[in-house]
Amino acid sequence: MKFLDQAKIYIRSGNGGAGSVSFRREKFIPNGGPDGGDGGRGGDVWIEAVEGLNTLIDYRYQQHFKAQTGHHGQGRQMHGGKGEDVVLKVPVGTQVLDEDKETVLLDMDTAGKTELLLKGGNGGWGNTRFKGPVNQAPTHANPGQEGQERWIWLRLKLIADIGLAGLPNAGKSTFLSAASAAKPKIADYPFTTLTPNLGMVDLSPTERFVIADIPGLIEGASDGAGLGTRFLGHVERSASLIHLIDGTQDDVAEAYRIIRGELEAYGEGLADKAEILALNKIDALTPQMREEKAAELEAVAGRRPMLVSGVSGEGVASLLRAAWAEVKKTRGALAGEGAADQISGWRP
């Protein structure tokens, strides 16, 4: 399945059904009178966040979604039925943006969340509604109300507990495959990863979290260089970041500065997230080189990096434990906020 995280679609709610102009004509009933029924309401357009989806690929092949028009009214005061609704099923984490691609209308951040996008038009009144002592035989009825229409953008931001950041070929995909059951494409050339990958880490039956591996960043990504910062949106919701540095490159301090600069340039709070710094590919380094590279990173970052190798697995468990500690902090904070909300929102 191809990965697609942005899609522009057209949505339209259904028109209301027209009211009916009808008169009761039956044998032995000389004064039947008007009996036209009302039209049915047009269908609505809904959006629902569902589990099991991680791409918007379905909206690449179909961009127009129109709800059904309400059924028209009929004689004998038979009212028309409501038009069929349209329900857009999207992955959890999808945002609904206005046509300007900037204004966020909805954030579908929890599974099962359902929101109304467009309301269907009301059905028209039949001529029964217009009868009275002055006009006992009305010959007109209302048409149905027009539905609503608009263009919207769907933008997916994957929900992961931990995000992986680093330059191309920093070993992020290799680390993800070593830490989880994910099978990302791995090769020895830059930009092997072109789309984000998710991996579930199982430390124990009660210790599970999700890691997001995004395509590598290069200097100038915030200005559109390389793959740009488009995919950084997928780690906006992460509790913290694992910043992987390729230990085999010449200047590890410069690599750290480049990524930190791009995170700050992107904004959205990425630079303020808790960061776990790790020197990767230590299986290719001698003990002396490990110490030298770690010292360089410590000098620029102000903290000692963790030493890991996605190939040999050395240090991976310790790094995952450190990541799990950050996840627990965030989940605990969210649980505390939820409990506070419940208390403050309680009503007898």
Side-chain angles (χ1 to χ4, degrees):
M1 181 182 293
K2 292 184 177 180
F3 182 85
L4 187 71
D5 62 348
Q6 293 184 8
K8 186 179 182 180
I9 61 173
Y10 169 84
I11 55 176
R12 193 185 197 286
S13 59
N15 296 335
S20 171
V21 175
S22 175
F23 293 90
R24 185 179 182 188
R25 290 185 176 89
E26 298 183 39
K27 193 175 183 179
F28 308 119
I29 303 179
N31 299 319
D35 69 349
D38 300 339
R41 196 163 68 85
D44 304 323
V45 180
W46 297 81
I47 186 169
E48 179 184 2
V50 298
E51 293 182 331
L53 295 178
N54 58 6
T55 176
L56 296 172
I57 191 65
D58 293 338
Y59 299 98
R60 179 176 182 178
Y61 304 107
Q62 181 182 357
Q63 291 89 28
H64 293 75
F65 298 87
K66 301 178 182 179
Q68 187 181 29
T69 298
H71 298 277
H72 303 311
Q74 300 181 44
R76 300 187 178 181
Q77 297 190 32
M78 290 190 291
H79 300 315
K82 181 181 181 299
E84 187 175 348
D85 295 340
V86 166
V87 180
L88 307 177
K89 296 185 181 296
V90 297
V92 178
T94 300
Q95 291 182 328
V96 181
L97 285 74
D98 202 355
E99 192 174 359
D100 61 8
K101 209 176 177 180
E102 294 181 357
T103 306
V104 178
L105 304 176
L106 292 171
D107 192 354
M108 311 301 290
D109 55 354
T110 56
K113 186 175 182 179
T114 304
E115 297 285 350
L116 178 65
L117 290 176
L118 295 179
K119 186 178 180 180
N122 291 324
W125 282 358
N127 65 338
T128 305
R129 298 269 193 172
F130 300 99
K131 68 180 180 182
V134 176
N135 185 6
Q136 298 183 9
T139 57
H140 70 278
N142 285 346
Q145 185 182 26
E146 288 285 327
Q148 302 172 320
E149 61 181 357
R150 71 185 306 172
W151 285 89
I152 60 173
W153 279 91
L154 300 178
R155 180 173 67 189
L156 173 61
K157 291 185 178 180
L158 295 176
I159 296 181
D161 298 300
I162 299 292
L164 289 179
L167 292 172
N169 270 25
K172 299 186 297 298
S173 297
T174 303
F175 175 80
L176 181 67
S177 64
S180 68
K183 302 298 180 185
K185 181 179 179 182
I186 300 172
D188 59 352
Y189 53 85
F191 297 112
T192 306
T193 302
L194 297 177
T195 59
N197 295 301
L198 286 180
M200 175 67 75
V201 178
D202 283 297
L203 296 177
S204 74
T206 59
E207 298 173 315
R208 307 179 69 196
F209 61 95
V210 179
I211 291 183
D213 167 29
I214 62 170
L217 299 172
I218 63 174
E219 189 171 11
S222 56
D223 299 323
L227 296 178
T229 56
R230 169 181 171 182
F231 295 116
L232 277 177
H234 294 291
V235 294
E236 284 183 26
R237 305 177 192 269
S238 301
S240 58
L241 300 176
I242 293 178
H243 187 169
L244 290 182
I245 304 290
D246 181 0
T248 62
Q249 61 187 350
D250 296 332
D251 194 344
V252 293
E254 180 62 19
Y256 174 81
R257 281 192 289 264
I258 289 174
I259 296 301
R260 291 302 304 176
E262 295 306 319
L263 293 177
E264 292 173 3
Y266 180 81
E268 302 298 334
L270 288 188
D272 300 326
K273 289 184 179 294
E275 180 188 62
I276 302 173
L277 184 60
L279 183 66
N280 196 18
K281 302 184 181 180
I282 60 172
D283 57 290
L285 302 177
T286 64
Q288 181 181 356
M289 292 179 64
R290 292 184 184 186
E291 184 59 34
E292 291 176 357
K293 299 287 185 180
E296 292 179 25
L297 273 180
E298 185 176 8
V300 69
R303 61 187 181 279
R304 184 76 175 179
M306 301 188 71
L307 304 180
V308 299
S309 171
V311 174
S312 66
E314 182 181 353
V316 171
S318 299
L319 181 55
L320 294 178
R321 281 290 170 190
W324 172 244
E326 294 296 335
V327 172
K328 285 197 298 183
K329 290 180 185 177
T330 304
R331 291 181 181 176
L334 292 177
E337 291 173 4
D341 292 342
Q342 291 177 7
I343 294 174
S344 62
W346 181 84
R347 295 290 183 273

